[in-house]
Amino acid sequence: MTALAHAALEHLTELLGARCLTDQDSAQRYGVDWTKVWAPAPSAVLLPETIDEVQQIVEIANEHGLHLVPSGGRTGLSAGAVAASGELVVAFDRMNKVLDFNAYDRSVTVQPGVITQQLQEYAEQQGLFYPVDFASAGSSQIGGNINTNAGGIKVIRYGMTRDWITGLKVVTGKGELLELNKGLIKNATGYDFRHLFIGSEGTLGFVVEATVKLARQPKNLTALVLGVPGFQEVMKVLHAFQSELDLTAFEFFSDKAMAHVLAHGVSRPFDTDCPFYCLLEFEQVSEQTADQAMAVFERCVEQGWVLDGVMSQSLQQLDQLWQLRERISESIAPHTPYKNDISVTIDKVPEFVEAVDKVVQDAYPDFEIVWFGHIGDGNMHLNILKPEALPKEDFFEKCNNVSKWVFEIVERYNGSISAEHGVGMTKKPYLGYSRGPEEIAYMKAVKQVFDPNNVMNPGKLFDL
Amino acid sequence: MTALAHAALEHLTELLGARCLTDQDSAQRYGVDWTKVWAPAPSAVLLPETIDEVQQIVEIANEHGLHLVPSGGRTGLSAGAVAASGELVVAFDRMNKVLDFNAYDRSVTVQPGVITQQLQEYAEQQGLFYPVDFASAGSSQIGGNINTNAGGIKVIRYGMTRDWITGLKVVTGKGELLELNKGLIKNATGYDFRHLFIGSEGTLGFVVEATVKLARQPKNLTALVLGVPGFQEVMKVLHAFQSELDLTAFEFFSDKAMAHVLAHGVSRPFDTDCPFYCLLEFEQVSEQTADQAMAVFERCVEQGWVLDGVMSQSLQQLDQLWQLRERISESIAPHTPYKNDISVTIDKVPEFVEAVDKVVQDAYPDFEIVWFGHIGDGNMHLNILKPEALPKEDFFEKCNNVSKWVFEIVERYNGSISAEHGVGMTKKPYLGYSRGPEEIAYMKAVKQVFDPNNVMNPGKLFDL
């Protein structure tokens, strides 16, 4: 650590006392996310408790030319919150309170360190529903959700995190506190910086408070699992159901995914083996809704779009059917999967999947490709399993080639190299496949506006 | 016109031929919106037909230091599209085609000059629904809707224009074409400039193409008109219904509004006179939904929150009930109303209305205040009628005082000085009541990034 950094550290210790941590354990714990590629190496971990402390931290960073990395639940999958280069980690664990509930607006104001699942439970206690949900909800924090615009499994009905944030307090890279949109629904007074900060991966400033809209609790959720002969038919099934029902989810997974999850102990939904499976969910608000769903199902069978299917008759069955989708990840984990999270518009999904399959299988015929994802919003999770005999290093090297080919196909189909996991450091080299050079230049210029000294999470998203 | 401008005009005539208009009629027609405060005085009116022409216009403007004003349906209420200072009007009337429909994504790609109602009708032809709707939908253009983030009467269920735009092509103030978000639902690749451009009132660039998501058509819309004893009860009624049903609208209007609309020839819904009225609408998806609505209604009556009410039994009755709300504006038009469009969070509406009533009535007891609006999203339209005996000039002068008082109350209640009409020139002096000085400084800096020579709609939103 340089003399300058020592002076800064004194400053910070004065400000935060024992909440400025410099021990190895804390550095190891707070310096990483779920990607384990970069070794954590922060200079210190800071645990502010107030907005004022956050502002002072940013001011000190500007004074001393330090780099700050925000840290929430550290469940990120793109190394957006990794501190690998002597940065200061600013962790929001101590700013984890629900500040206010507003029954008429059906909104709740929270600090950024509130855990997603706590927010979901809080909403439930108020008879309401926070609909953004995903596998890591038990440890991710709402501040992190906002910084990555987290999506998950209910996007087809409820949208992304972006759609639920009505107000945002942020501390910019200049240390200024902005109150963005103040919980309003309608506010036509110029640039909506709230949406600029959502999904900005901490590169413009820190989220220090958020007002979150809540929804009505869904009633009597019902799931259908359907076996489908081909990808074109998946699309037709989606279209048929979406024309009649408000779906709360439309997931798909391939026969290979099904084989793994069944081997993992989840119950088989029906006997027929099919190349693809869909899981769709809707609110059964009345008996008529169930009748409607059955009518669409029968029409799909008649058309040959569906080979077999089952509908949940209880909450327990609903949970069971969801396990077919939700436990895929853990069922393939032992195979050291290469993972990629990409999206295209829905209509292009079948062609896109075919193109990726072809390029991978042509080069590496021994690779097993497992597809699953949120097909209702064009978001696919590509998983490639390591052949048992292949050494890890060789597999990773070959997967680097795969990444490049996949992103070239993404670019050809006008898609996104990161549907919901963000760019961080892992996808930074590939940003140009999804965003044009002018657009990236504007991003850099906008960062300069809010963070002129580049103290906020530098080296994430892009290099200046 | 200066020599410089002449050179520019030659340039533009070369580019556009007869689509570069300099006659007085065109100037008068294209230089204004529905606000009639500023006299139109554009140097010329340009009618580009392609994105390339738009880019060249912007390049010429940068070269010659000209100012460009975007022009859509010119139905704006804040002078955002008024050219009063020799600007060039860029009108999108010739870029009015539907370019593509995507059945699986339920999206349509349009040029900016498509009229809102045409988009609604196009959606209907596809068995779908474009839910952003408001009084001027018959002449407003989708490009203008995007530039002001238009809202309207279905926001409680469907959100603002922002919520329906999945892709945006824009030409920035530097003349660069950006393809923002490309119709994707999930795209976590850095700053979402799409949302920065939406609502930016043409100050960053021109919208030259948009991909718009469509919804399922609503089924069997049903309206209730309820008479309510006080504003606190309006809130309780909103809360009671919203807990049980997905409302597609929740409007309110005062007894004075009701008196005007009845005098205007609309049928009385029921005999009881009440201080306030609510109009709420929902999809009656099954008989159960109607039963649910009736149960809530009865509970509200028992609690004393509702004095009387009626529910539509047919589409014709639905239309009739809506006239009570929709024809208020024309019923008060002969009284030269002062209008203001403001919002606060829903829970603060009763206090806010009371505070405005008090300050206005204390100063001007002869002013008749007519309230109506989209209470379900905290958006109120304040209307003050000119006393017959009072000369227009005196009325307008007094209304200037009213504006200031109203905006002071807006600021106190953390609200918005413009809920859905934008800032333009009419609300520019008051922007500071809704947005902090740092935030306004960041807005100006961001404008510099996208429009360094200030060619894009200068003098709107703020002065640089």
Side-chain angles (χ1 to χ4, degrees):
Chain A
M1 200 175 282
T2 65
L4 184 67
H6 273 298
L9 205 61
E10 247 173 64
H11 225 118
L12 290 164
T13 310
E14 215 171 279
L15 176 68
L16 301 169
R19 290 180 286 112
C20 172
L21 313 170
T22 51
D23 60 292
Q24 265 307 305
D25 274 6
S26 299
Q28 291 298 313
R29 187 174 149 218
Y30 282 97
V32 284
D33 64 4
W34 280 3
T35 62
K36 307 287 180 207
V37 182
W38 286 271
S43 295
V45 176
L46 313 177
L47 293 162
E49 288 182 346
T50 64
I51 293 176
D52 183 63
E53 286 181 355
V54 175
Q55 287 187 276
Q56 290 194 53
I57 290 168
V58 174
E59 277 160 28
I60 292 167
N62 274 284
E63 249 169 65
H64 296 274
L66 305 174
H67 295 160
L68 304 176
V69 174
S71 174
R74 292 180 297 284
T75 59
L77 294 168
S78 69
V82 169
S85 315
E87 301 97 331
L88 296 170
V89 171
V90 181
F92 288 90
D93 298 27
R94 304 288 183 96
M95 293 176 72
N96 63 348
K97 284 171 204 61
V98 172
L99 299 175
D100 191 27
F101 172 69
N102 178 334
Y104 287 125
D105 291 73
R106 303 203 292 188
S107 69
V108 54
T109 299
V110 296
Q111 290 186 311
V114 167
I115 288 172
T116 313
Q117 191 179 313
Q118 287 177 341
L119 178 59
Q120 292 167 345
E121 287 165 1
Y122 183 89
E124 211 179 318
Q125 285 158 20
Q126 315 301 323
L128 293 166
F129 183 54
Y130 180 62
V132 180
D133 194 24
F134 37 79
S136 59
S139 28
S140 79
Q141 295 177 3
I142 186 71
N145 299 172
I146 292 167
N147 270 313
T148 53
N149 187 26
I153 51 178
K154 302 284 170 104
V155 170
I156 192 174
R157 168 70 175 271
Y158 295 103
M160 311 288 285
T161 299
R162 176 183 304 290
D163 299 296
W164 297 92
I165 304 300
T166 58
L168 213 52
K169 284 191 190 169
V170 298
V171 172
T172 70
K174 290 162 89 170
E176 290 167 327
L177 177 66
L178 304 183
E179 284 189 51
L180 304 174
N181 206 57
K182 304 172 186 171
L184 298 169
I185 297 166
K186 285 183 171 178
N187 180 19
T189 56
Y191 312 157
D192 196 335
F193 288 145
R194 168 183 50 145
H195 286 294
L196 189 64
F197 275 81
I198 296 171
S200 65
E201 304 191 17
T203 59
L204 301 174
F206 289 125
V207 170
V208 292
E209 197 179 299
T211 301
V212 183
K213 209 169 51 174
L214 302 174
R216 174 179 64 68
Q217 281 183 346
K219 293 173 189 166
N220 196 15
L221 287 175
T222 303
L224 275 160
V225 170
L226 306 174
V228 178
F231 222 120
Q232 285 298 345
E233 286 76 17
V234 173
M235 308 303 289
K236 286 172 181 163
V237 171
L238 169 65
H239 189 256
F241 276 94
Q242 210 164 19
S243 303
E244 294 291 331
L245 297 169
D246 292 331
L247 299 177
T248 50
F250 192 98
E251 300 285 309
F252 92 110
F253 42 98
S254 64
D255 53 351
K256 285 176 179 151
M258 178 66 107
H260 283 283
V261 82
L262 292 182
H264 196 61
V266 179
S267 309
R268 177 182 283 277
F270 42 73
D271 286 336
T272 317
D273 280 322
C274 307
F276 292 98
Y277 298 87
C278 303
L279 186 159
L280 53 97
E281 191 194 62
F282 59 94
E283 284 185 84
Q284 194 180 314
V285 286
S286 69
E287 271 171 38
Q288 268 169 276
T289 328
D291 294 347
Q292 254 181 313
M294 281 313 294
V296 181
F297 170 71
E298 279 159 24
R299 189 146 47 85
C300 287
V301 172
E302 276 165 31
Q303 296 283 338
W305 302 339
V306 164
L307 302 175
D308 205 344
V310 59
M311 184 156 93
S312 66
Q313 304 296 329
S314 66
L315 278 181
Q316 199 198 344
Q317 276 184 28
L318 175 77
D319 280 348
Q320 259 175 10
L321 291 180
W322 265 108
Q323 290 198 20
L324 290 166
R325 165 66 184 82
E326 284 182 333
R327 297 184 66 188
I328 296 171
S329 260
E330 61 186 72
S331 76
I332 59 174
H335 301 276
T336 325
Y338 158 91
K339 288 168 171 288
N340 214 330
D341 160 53
I342 46 210
S343 72
V344 293
T345 54
I346 301 167
D347 66 323
K348 292 181 190 139
V349 170
E351 263 185 79
F352 176 85
V353 167
E354 203 179 314
V356 171
D357 275 346
K358 186 172 179 340
V359 77
V360 175
Q361 299 281 276
D362 281 358
Y364 308 121
D366 57 334
F367 279 14
E368 182 182 337
I369 305 177
V370 177
W371 288 101
F372 59 93
H374 321 294
I375 201 82
D377 31 76
N379 177 195
M380 290 144 295
H381 295 303
L382 164 65
N383 292 263
I384 299 176
L385 311 190
K386 188 183 78 58
E388 235 171 285
L390 192 68
K392 272 192 185 182
E393 293 64 37
D394 297 356
F395 179 61
F396 292 147
E397 207 185 301
K398 289 180 173 181
C399 286
N400 276 337
N401 297 333
V402 170
S403 282
K404 204 174 152 286
W405 300 331
V406 169
F407 294 139
E408 281 167 2
I409 300 171
V410 166
E411 185 177 37
R412 200 158 77 228
Y413 285 93
N414 257 326
S416 175
I417 57 149
S418 183
E420 54 178 2
H421 295 166
V423 174
M425 292 198 281
T426 59
K427 290 201 168 169
K428 182 170 69 171
Y430 308 108
L431 186 60
Y433 287 104
S434 271
R435 309 284 287 253
E438 296 91 354
E439 220 184 324
I440 295 173
Y442 283 117
M443 282 204 234
K444 292 178 182 178
V446 166
K447 177 167 166 74
Q448 297 261 358
V449 166
F450 289 92
D451 179 29
N453 297 323
N454 197 25
V455 304
M456 297 302 309
N457 215 7
K460 310 296 162 59
L461 261 184
F462 44 70
D463 289 308
L464 283 183
Chain B
M1 202 176 283
T2 66
L4 185 66
H6 273 298
L9 205 59
E10 249 174 62
H11 226 119
L12 290 164
T13 311
E14 214 170 279
L15 176 68
L16 301 169
R19 291 180 285 111
C20 172
L21 312 171
T22 52
D23 60 292
Q24 264 308 304
D25 274 5
S26 299
Q28 291 297 313
R29 187 172 149 222
Y30 283 96
V32 283
D33 64 6
W34 280 2
T35 62
K36 307 287 177 209
V37 182
W38 286 270
S43 296
V45 176
L46 313 177
L47 292 162
E49 288 181 346
T50 64
I51 292 175
D52 184 62
E53 285 181 355
V54 176
Q55 286 186 275
Q56 289 193 53
I57 289 168
V58 174
E59 277 160 27
I60 293 167
N62 273 285
E63 251 169 63
H64 295 274
L66 305 174
H67 294 159
L68 304 176
V69 175
S71 174
R74 292 179 297 285
T75 59
L77 294 168
S78 70
V82 169
S85 316
E87 301 96 331
L88 297 169
V89 171
V90 181
F92 289 90
D93 298 27
R94 302 289 183 98
M95 292 176 72
N96 62 350
K97 284 168 204 64
V98 173
L99 299 175
D100 191 27
F101 172 68
N102 179 334
Y104 287 124
D105 291 75
R106 303 205 290 189
S107 69
V108 53
T109 299
V110 296
Q111 290 186 311
V114 167
I115 288 172
T116 313
Q117 194 180 311
Q118 287 176 342
L119 178 59
Q120 292 166 346
E121 287 165 4
Y122 182 89
E124 211 179 319
Q125 285 158 21
Q126 314 302 324
L128 293 167
F129 182 54
Y130 181 62
V132 181
D133 194 24
F134 37 80
S136 59
S139 27
S140 80
Q141 294 176 5
I142 186 71
N145 298 173
I146 292 167
N147 271 312
T148 53
N149 187 25
I153 52 179
K154 302 282 170 109
V155 170
I156 192 173
R157 168 69 175 271
Y158 295 103
M160 312 287 286
T161 299
R162 177 184 303 290
D163 299 298
W164 297 92
I165 304 300
T166 57
L168 214 52
K169 284 190 189 170
V170 298
V171 172
T172 70
K174 290 163 90 170
E176 291 168 325
L177 177 66
L178 304 184
E179 285 189 50
L180 305 174
N181 206 55
K182 305 172 184 171
L184 299 168
I185 297 166
K186 285 183 172 178
N187 180 18
T189 56
Y191 311 157
D192 195 335
F193 288 145
R194 167 182 51 143
H195 285 295
L196 189 63
F197 275 81
I198 296 171
S200 65
E201 303 190 19
T203 59
L204 301 174
F206 289 126
V207 170
V208 292
E209 198 179 296
T211 301
V212 183
K213 209 170 52 175
L214 302 174
R216 174 179 64 68
Q217 281 183 344
K219 293 174 189 166
N220 196 19
L221 288 176
T222 303
L224 275 160
V225 171
L226 307 174
V228 178
F231 221 119
Q232 285 298 345
E233 286 76 16
V234 173
M235 308 304 288
K236 285 172 182 162
V237 170
L238 169 65
H239 189 254
F241 276 94
Q242 210 163 19
S243 302
E244 294 291 331
L245 296 168
D246 291 331
L247 299 178
T248 52
F250 191 98
E251 299 285 308
F252 93 109
F253 42 100
S254 65
D255 52 353
K256 286 176 179 152
M258 178 65 105
H260 284 282
V261 83
L262 293 181
H264 197 60
V266 178
S267 309
R268 178 183 283 277
F270 43 73
D271 287 333
T272 318
D273 281 322
C274 307
F276 293 98
Y277 299 87
C278 302
L279 187 157
L280 52 98
E281 192 193 63
F282 58 94
E283 285 185 83
Q284 194 180 314
V285 287
S286 70
E287 271 171 40
Q288 268 169 277
T289 329
D291 293 347
Q292 254 181 315
M294 281 313 293
V296 181
F297 170 70
E298 279 160 25
R299 191 147 46 86
C300 287
V301 172
E302 275 165 30
Q303 296 284 337
W305 302 339
V306 164
L307 303 175
D308 206 342
V310 59
M311 184 156 94
S312 67
Q313 304 296 331
S314 66
L315 278 182
Q316 198 197 344
Q317 277 184 27
L318 174 77
D319 281 348
Q320 259 175 9
L321 292 181
W322 265 108
Q323 290 198 21
L324 290 166
R325 166 64 184 84
E326 283 182 335
R327 298 185 65 190
I328 297 171
S329 261
E330 62 187 70
S331 76
I332 59 173
H335 301 277
T336 325
Y338 158 91
K339 287 169 172 289
N340 214 329
D341 161 53
I342 45 211
S343 71
V344 292
T345 53
I346 301 167
D347 65 323
K348 291 182 191 136
V349 170
E351 265 185 77
F352 176 85
V353 167
E354 203 179 314
V356 171
D357 275 346
K358 186 173 177 344
V359 77
V360 176
Q361 298 282 275
D362 280 357
Y364 308 122
D366 57 334
F367 279 15
E368 183 182 337
I369 305 176
V370 177
W371 287 101
F372 59 93
H374 321 293
I375 201 81
D377 30 75
N379 177 195
M380 292 144 293
H381 296 304
L382 164 64
N383 292 263
I384 299 175
L385 312 190
K386 189 181 78 57
E388 237 172 280
L390 191 68
K392 272 194 184 180
E393 294 64 36
D394 298 355
F395 179 62
F396 292 148
E397 208 185 301
K398 288 180 172 177
C399 286
N400 275 337
N401 297 332
V402 170
S403 283
K404 205 175 152 282
W405 301 330
V406 168
F407 295 139
E408 282 167 1
I409 299 171
V410 166
E411 186 177 36
R412 201 159 74 228
Y413 285 92
N414 258 326
S416 174
I417 58 150
S418 184
E420 56 179 359
H421 296 166
V423 173
M425 291 198 283
T426 58
K427 291 202 167 170
K428 183 170 67 171
Y430 309 108
L431 186 59
Y433 287 104
S434 271
R435 308 284 290 252
E438 296 91 354
E439 221 184 323
I440 295 173
Y442 282 117
M443 283 204 231
K444 293 179 182 178
V446 165
K447 176 166 167 75
Q448 297 261 0
V449 166
F450 289 92
D451 179 30
N453 297 323
N454 198 25
V455 303
M456 297 303 308
N457 215 7
K460 311 296 162 59
L461 262 184
F462 44 70
D463 290 308
L464 283 182

